[in-house]
């Protein structure tokens, strides 16, 4: 029995060894995959664990301080070169730009006019202006002559009608007051009355020689000089009359009448002097206007000189430079992307004041990452 079992086990072991050899020892048949060779990209994908770091970062800021009026991007958004990211309020600058452009048109029109020369119509218009100013000057002379004569009339009335009431022989070489006064004051007043009479006679003679073609300056000078002399006499006469009191010689009613007439004489003379000053100013203005109009006519008839064109060209360049400057300032109110990338930070808020040169938007280029793997050393060695 033992031999029989031993033989059975031996046969079983041989069968197992033979089966194991054929099962484990034989290599599988090779399988082949055929593809057509062609040009292309060779891609190898590697799955690793690590940290993502941007190759570079771009920080953008406004060049000037202003209030944020619009924000066009948000974090994570992809942007292209030149794309608007945010903007400041440019209302005031835009208004200034419109005004500057209008100024350019004005200066360009003036330059074109200068280059085209003076038109016959312009010369004719200027000639009409000259004639109108000549008429205005004649009117001013007539008015001034009337005021000079009126001043003499008021002075004559003040002396020979108003104050001569309390003089005896007023228009002779020996005028005398009708009432008593201190010897010094009485003598001085009578002496002034004699001088005023002589002034009125000379004044009247000179005014009789006044013509519209004459120089008015000497007549104006005489009118101011003689009227000042008359005024001085009236002031002293008023001082005397105001000091009088009623007596057996003169009643209070007579004295009051003298006071009233003296006051009226002084008021009329002052009004006439003021009227003369106004008329003189009108004459000076009319003379100046005529001179300027005549000079402008001469310039228009002579035409445009090269210096005028050069000066106007300089003005045009100046206003054009203003336009360029304002346009540059407006461009600075817009923040644009300088690269193609992704917004990594956006700090602008509508309505807030953005300070100049303070970072508002940060960008990282696109593609946005490079892998810098951090792997165990054994794996790195296997990869190599």
């Amino acid at each position: 029995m033992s031999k029989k079992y031993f033989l059975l086990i031996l046969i079983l072991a041989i069968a197992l060894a033979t089966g194991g050899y054929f099962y484990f020892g034989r290599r599988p048949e090779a399988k082949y995959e055929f593809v057509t060779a062609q040009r292309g990209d060779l891609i190898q994908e590697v799955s690793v664990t690590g940290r993502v770091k941007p190759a570079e970062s771009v920080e953008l800021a406004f060049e000037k301080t202003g209030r944020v009026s619009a924000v066009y991007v948000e974090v994570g958004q992809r942007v292209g070169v030149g794309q608007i990211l945010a903007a400041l309020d440019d209302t005031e600058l835009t208004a200034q730009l419109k005004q500057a452009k209008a100024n350019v048109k004005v200066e360009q029109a003036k330059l074109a006019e200068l280059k085209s020369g003076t038109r016959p119509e312009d010369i004719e218009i200027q000639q009409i202006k000259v004639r109108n100013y000549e008429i205005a000057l004649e009117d001013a002379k007539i008015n001034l002559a009337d005021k000079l004569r009126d001043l003499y009339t008021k002075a004559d009335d003040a002396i020979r009608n108003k104050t001569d009431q309390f003089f005896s022989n007023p228009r002779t070489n020996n005028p005398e007051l009708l009432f008593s006064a201190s010897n010094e004051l009485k003598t001085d007043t009578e002496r002034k009355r004699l001088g005023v009479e002589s002034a009125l006679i000379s004044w009247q003679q000179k005014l009789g020689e006044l013509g519209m073609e004459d120089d008015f300056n000497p007549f104006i000078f005489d009118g101011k000089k003689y009227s000042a002399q008359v005024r001085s006499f009236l002031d002293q006469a008023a001082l005397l009359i105001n000091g009088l009191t009623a007596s057996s010689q003169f009643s209070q009613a007579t004295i009051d009448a003298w006071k009233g007439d003296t006051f009226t004489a002084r008021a009329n003379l002052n009004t006439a002097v003021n009227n003369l000053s106004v008329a003189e100013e009108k004459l000076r203005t009319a003379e100046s206007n005529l001179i300027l109009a005549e000079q402008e006519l001469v310039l228009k008839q002579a035409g445009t000189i090269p210096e005028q064109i050069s000066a106007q060209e300089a003005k045009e360049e100046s206003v054009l430079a203003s336009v360029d400057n304002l346009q540059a300032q407006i461009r600075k109110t817009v923040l644009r992307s300088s690269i193609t990338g992704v917004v990594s930070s956006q700090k602008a808020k509508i309505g807030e004041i953005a300070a100049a040169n303070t970072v508002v938007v940060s960008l990282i280029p696109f593609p946005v990452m490079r892998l810098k793997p951090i792997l165990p050393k054994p794996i790195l060695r296997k990869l190599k």
Side-chain angles (χ1 to χ4, degrees), residues 7-285:
L7 181 60
L8 181 60
I9 293 172
L10 179 60
I11 293 171
L12 182 60
I14 293 171
L16 289 173
T18 302
Y21 170 78
F22 283 103
Y23 183 81
F24 293 102
R26 295 182 63 186
R27 295 181 179 178
E29 294 183 2
K31 294 182 179 180
Y32 299 95
E33 182 179 353
F34 297 91
V35 295
T36 303
Q38 58 183 358
R39 185 183 299 274
D41 295 332
L42 181 60
I43 301 175
Q44 181 179 6
E45 295 183 358
V46 180
S47 177
V48 295
T49 301
R51 291 194 297 269
V52 177
K53 300 179 69 175
E56 57 182 312
S57 177
V58 178
E59 297 181 335
L60 303 176
F62 289 107
E63 294 185 41
K64 59 181 297 179
T65 300
R67 187 179 301 278
V68 178
S69 61
V71 177
Y72 299 100
V73 296
E74 58 186 10
V75 175
Q77 181 176 339
R78 181 177 177 180
V79 297
V81 177
Q83 182 174 338
I84 299 177
L85 308 177
L88 301 178
D89 181 24
D90 62 353
T91 304
E92 184 177 351
L93 290 174
T94 301
Q96 293 178 8
L97 179 61
K98 289 181 180 179
Q99 181 62 50
K101 288 182 177 179
N103 293 338
V104 170
K105 292 182 179 179
V106 171
E107 299 303 333
Q108 288 176 338
K110 289 181 180 179
L111 180 59
E113 182 180 0
L114 288 175
K115 288 183 176 180
S116 63
T118 306
R119 296 178 300 175
E121 296 83 358
D122 293 334
I123 295 177
E124 184 178 355
I125 290 174
Q126 191 61 36
Q127 289 173 337
I128 294 174
K129 288 183 179 181
V130 170
R131 287 195 292 270
N132 289 338
Y133 284 129
E134 288 175 344
I135 295 172
L137 179 58
E138 290 299 318
D139 292 341
K141 287 182 176 181
I142 294 172
N143 179 62
L144 181 59
D146 291 341
K147 295 302 182 287
L148 284 169
R149 295 188 180 99
D150 181 67
L151 179 59
Y152 168 79
T153 300
K154 295 297 191 296
D156 180 82
D157 177 69
I159 300 301
R160 293 171 175 169
N161 292 328
K162 299 293 193 298
T163 60
D164 277 358
Q165 298 177 77
F166 41 85
F167 276 91
S168 62
N169 305 319
R171 304 180 66 174
T172 66
N173 291 331
N174 189 29
E176 294 183 5
L177 286 168
L178 298 178
F179 49 84
S180 59
S182 64
N183 290 333
E184 183 178 353
L185 184 58
K186 182 176 183 299
T187 301
D188 186 57
T189 303
E190 292 171 346
R191 180 182 59 79
K192 284 187 176 182
R193 176 61 187 86
L194 180 62
V196 166
E197 183 65 26
S198 176
L200 289 174
I201 294 172
S202 298
W203 193 359
Q204 184 180 27
Q205 290 176 347
K206 292 182 178 181
L207 279 178
E209 301 172 356
L210 177 61
M212 292 298 101
E213 302 301 324
D214 294 330
D215 181 7
F216 274 68
N217 289 323
F219 298 95
I220 295 172
F221 176 80
D222 290 337
K224 292 179 178 180
K225 179 182 70 174
Y226 292 135
S227 63
Q229 186 175 349
V230 172
R231 179 185 291 170
S232 177
F233 170 76
L234 291 176
D235 291 342
Q236 189 159 317
L239 181 64
L240 285 171
I241 296 301
N242 290 334
L244 290 178
T245 57
S247 63
S248 57
Q249 187 177 5
F250 302 105
S251 66
Q252 187 62 46
T254 300
I255 295 173
D256 290 342
W258 287 350
K259 289 181 180 180
D261 288 342
T262 303
F263 174 82
T264 302
R266 296 171 72 190
N268 291 343
L269 183 66
N270 288 334
T271 300
V273 170
N274 292 335
N275 291 340
L276 177 61
S277 297
V278 174
E280 181 185 6
E281 182 63 26
K282 288 183 178 179
L283 177 65
R284 304 299 181 213
T285 301

